[in-house]
Coordinates of all heavy atoms in Angstrom, one line a residue:
P847 N -16.7 25.3 15.6 CA -17.1 24.5 16.8 C -17.5 25.4 17.9 O -16.8 26.3 18.3 CB -15.9 23.6 17.1 CG -14.7 24.4 16.6 CD -15.2 25.1 15.4
M848 N -18.7 25.1 18.5 CA -19.2 26.0 19.6 C -20.2 25.2 20.4 O -20.9 24.3 19.8 CB -19.8 27.2 18.9 CG -20.6 28.1 19.9 SD -21.2 29.6 19.0 CE -22.3 30.3 20.2
V849 N -20.3 25.5 21.7 CA -21.4 24.9 22.5 C -22.1 26.0 23.2 O -21.4 26.8 24.0 CB -20.8 23.8 23.5 CG1 -22.0 23.3 24.3 CG2 -20.1 22.7 22.8
L850 N -23.4 26.1 23.0 CA -24.2 27.1 23.7 C -25.0 26.3 24.8 O -25.7 25.4 24.6 CB -25.2 27.7 22.8 CG -26.2 28.7 23.4 CD1 -25.5 29.9 23.9 CD2 -27.3 29.0 22.4
F851 N -24.8 26.8 26.1 CA -25.5 26.3 27.2 C -26.7 27.2 27.5 O -26.4 28.4 27.7 CB -24.6 26.1 28.4 CG -23.5 25.1 28.2 CD1 -22.3 25.4 27.7 CD2 -23.7 23.7 28.6 CE1 -21.3 24.4 27.5 CE2 -22.8 22.8 28.5 CZ -21.5 23.1 27.9
V852 N -27.9 26.7 27.6 CA -29.0 27.5 27.9 C -29.7 27.1 29.2 O -30.2 25.9 29.3 CB -30.1 27.4 26.7 CG1 -31.3 28.2 27.0 CG2 -29.5 27.7 25.4
G853 N -29.7 28.0 30.2 CA -30.4 27.7 31.4 C -31.9 27.7 31.1 O -32.4 28.6 30.4
D854 N -32.7 26.7 31.6 CA -34.1 26.5 31.2 C -35.0 26.5 32.4 O -34.5 26.5 33.6 CB -34.2 25.2 30.4 CG -35.5 25.2 29.6 OD1 -36.1 26.3 29.4 OD2 -35.9 24.1 29.3
V855 N -36.3 26.5 32.1 CA -37.3 26.4 33.2 C -37.1 25.1 34.0 O -36.6 24.1 33.4 CB -38.7 26.5 32.6 CG1 -38.9 27.8 31.9 CG2 -39.0 25.3 31.7
A856 N -37.6 25.1 35.2 CA -37.5 23.9 36.0 C -38.4 22.8 35.4 O -39.4 23.1 34.7 CB -37.9 24.2 37.4
S857 N -38.1 21.5 35.7 CA -38.8 20.4 35.1 C -40.3 20.4 35.5 O -41.1 20.0 34.7 CB -38.1 19.1 35.6 OG -36.8 19.1 35.2
D858 N -40.6 20.8 36.7 CA -42.0 20.7 37.1 C -42.9 21.8 36.6 O -44.1 21.9 36.8 CB -42.1 20.7 38.7 CG -41.5 22.0 39.3 OD1 -40.9 22.8 38.6 OD2 -41.6 22.2 40.5
T859 N -42.3 22.8 35.8 CA -43.1 23.8 35.1 C -43.1 23.6 33.6 O -43.7 24.5 32.9 CB -42.6 25.2 35.5 OG1 -41.2 25.4 35.0 CG2 -42.5 25.4 37.0

Side-chain angles (χ1 to χ4, degrees):
M848 174 180 168
V849 179
L850 175 69
F851 293 89
V852 180
D854 197 19
V855 300
S857 302
D858 60 354
T859 65

